[in-house]
């Protein structure tokens, strides 16, 4: 197992091909487990508890973050934003808020509990279940398949 973890962030429109080549070169140099690249490293619909994303600086273990991750797909950009607005009040009620990002018709959700050193807590699991349930009932959902 490698002592480094490399995460590739890029813009698909103008640098996707370069990122793909970089991904392949880094995997060859450091091994597959050391390189993380969004959709290449996580299958859409992966089960929350089975797919934990870890990133760390080896020389500083206190900076390790363990997160639950899920990507939700929607029919339109507005559906993605509407979903975020629909589940946001539940986050306030739980007093637990995700790190999330929206890219076009996709919402990526990352859950971790910062006050226990960015580890997974029951609050993360419960919020993940809440998101999954809301997505199942959301009219604008566009599940893979």
């Amino acid at each position: 197992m490698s002592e480094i973890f490399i995460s590739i962030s890029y813009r698909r429109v103008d640098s996707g091909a370069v990122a793909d080549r970089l991904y392949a070169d880094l995997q060859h140099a450091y091994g597959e487990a050391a390189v993380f690249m969004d959709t290449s490293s996580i299958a859409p619909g992966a089960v929350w508890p089975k797919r934990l994303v870890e990133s760390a600086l080896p020389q500083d273990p206190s900076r390790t973050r363990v997160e639950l991750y899920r990507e939700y797909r929607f029919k339109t950009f507005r559906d993605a934003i509407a979903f975020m607005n629909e589940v946001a009040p539940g986050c306030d009620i739980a007093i637990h808020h995700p790190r999330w990002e929206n890219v076009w018709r996709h919402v990526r959700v990352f859950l971790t509990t910062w006050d226990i050193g960015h580890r997974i807590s029951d609050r993360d699991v419960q919020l993940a279940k809440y998101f999954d349930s809301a997505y199942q009932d959301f009219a604008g959902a566009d599940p893979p398949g």
Side-chain angles (χ1 to χ4, degrees):
M1 186 154 147
S2 178
E3 292 183 7
I4 64 170
F5 179 83
I6 303 164
S7 177
I8 300 172
S9 179
Y10 63 100
R11 295 183 311 215
R12 283 181 172 76
V13 174
D14 61 355
S15 58
V18 173
D20 286 340
R21 186 70 217 151
L22 176 62
Y23 178 59
D25 288 347
L26 289 170
Q27 280 188 312
H28 178 73
Y30 298 104
E32 288 185 29
V35 186
F36 176 84
M37 190 166 100
D38 58 36
T39 57
S40 298
S41 297
I42 297 177
V47 178
W48 281 89
K50 290 186 179 177
R51 185 61 182 136
L52 300 178
V53 178
E54 294 186 9
S55 60
L57 298 174
Q59 66 275 18
D60 185 1
S62 68
R63 299 214 28 200
T64 300
R65 177 183 298 200
V66 179
E67 300 174 313
L68 294 178
Y69 169 88
R70 168 78 87 213
E71 179 174 315
Y72 297 103
R73 294 171 35 170
F74 299 90
K75 294 175 184 170
T76 68
F77 171 74
R78 287 182 182 223
D79 287 333
I81 298 301
F83 177 78
M84 293 171 75
N85 282 320
E86 182 177 300
V87 297
C91 298
D92 287 339
I93 290 167
I95 313 172
H96 198 62
H97 301 87
R99 178 172 67 92
W100 54 13
E101 62 183 25
N102 165 245
V103 179
W104 187 40
R105 299 181 310 130
H106 300 248
V107 173
R108 295 182 184 116
V109 180
F110 305 85
L111 292 166
T112 189
T113 303
W114 66 271
D115 59 349
I116 59 169
H118 289 286
R119 298 286 183 246
I120 305 302
S121 71
D122 185 58
R123 295 171 89 181
D124 298 304
V125 173
Q126 294 307 314
L127 202 54
K129 289 178 181 179
Y130 166 70
F131 287 147
D132 283 349
S133 177
Y135 182 72
Q136 290 292 326
D137 298 334
F138 191 77
D142 187 20

